[in-house]
Amino acid sequence: MLFLLPVAVRVAQSSASDRMLSAKHRMRSSDDFARTIQGGKKRHTSTVTVYAYSYPSHIGADLAAKVGFVVSKKVGNSVVRHRVVRQLRHTIQPIMPQINDSTLIVVRARPRAASVSFAELSRDVRTACEKLEVFRSENEAHA
């Protein structure tokens, strides 16, 4: 005779939207990736290379900032690469409101990204973004 016991299922406190970039902020177009990597500015750190491209004001005034991630096989196997992408996504998500509109950003993970702490990866991404001047100025942030 088989007895089934009730099992309580714990519901996660955070929703899927807390873990994902909103659709309007995700870079999907290969043209956007190419434009950003080939035509934008870049900054290197030990764990990432960050590329940024800003549309001219008369073209992209109403475009939302978009972010894309590139994690090659040099970083590690599939499990490692997906972990790095999740960490990068969680690093970018809280700073998205501070990024200028009409800015495209590509974050390329370097092999060392797989072996550093989340705190170091976050610091490197933020440092590179600051050097690229992608954040809104104080005047724009309060407007």
Side-chain angles (χ1 to χ4, degrees), residues 7 9 28 35 65 76 106 111 114 131:
V7 177
V9 178
R28 293 188 189 91
R35 180 178 295 114
V106 172
K131 288 182 180 177

Side-chain angles (χ1 to χ4, degrees), residues 18-136:
D18 293 339
R19 297 183 303 266
M20 295 176 56
L21 286 172
S22 64
K24 70 178 182 178
H25 293 301
R26 278 183 252 156
M27 188 182 300
R28 293 188 189 91
S29 162
S30 60
D31 290 341
D32 285 345
F33 276 92
R35 180 178 295 114
T36 305
I37 291 171
Q38 294 170 0
K41 301 179 289 184
K42 65 182 172 182
R43 290 295 177 267
H44 302 284
T45 67
S46 62
T47 59
V48 294
T49 300
V50 178
Y51 302 85
Y53 176 85
S54 294
Y55 281 103
S57 59
H58 66 282
I59 295 175
D62 59 344
L63 297 175
K66 291 187 180 185
V67 178
F69 303 100
V70 177
V71 184
S72 76
K73 288 184 178 182
K74 291 179 182 179
V75 173
N77 65 24
S78 176
V79 173
V80 172
R81 292 193 310 269
H82 282 86
R83 179 175 50 81
V84 170
V85 167
R86 283 193 306 274
Q87 288 178 332
L88 291 171
R89 190 180 318 120
H90 284 285
T91 295
I92 286 289
Q93 190 172 11
I95 63 176
M96 280 306 295
Q98 301 167 14
I99 296 175
N100 291 321
D101 289 339
S102 73
T103 300
L104 303 177
I105 296 174
V106 172
V107 181
R108 181 187 300 266
R110 301 177 80 184
R112 188 167 181 270
S115 61
V116 299
S117 69
F118 176 74
E120 185 175 349
L121 192 61
S122 296
R123 186 178 60 244
D124 282 355
V125 169
R126 189 166 191 71
T127 299
C129 287
E130 286 170 353
K131 288 182 180 177
L132 288 168
E133 300 174 349
V134 298
F135 294 126
R136 290 185 164 103

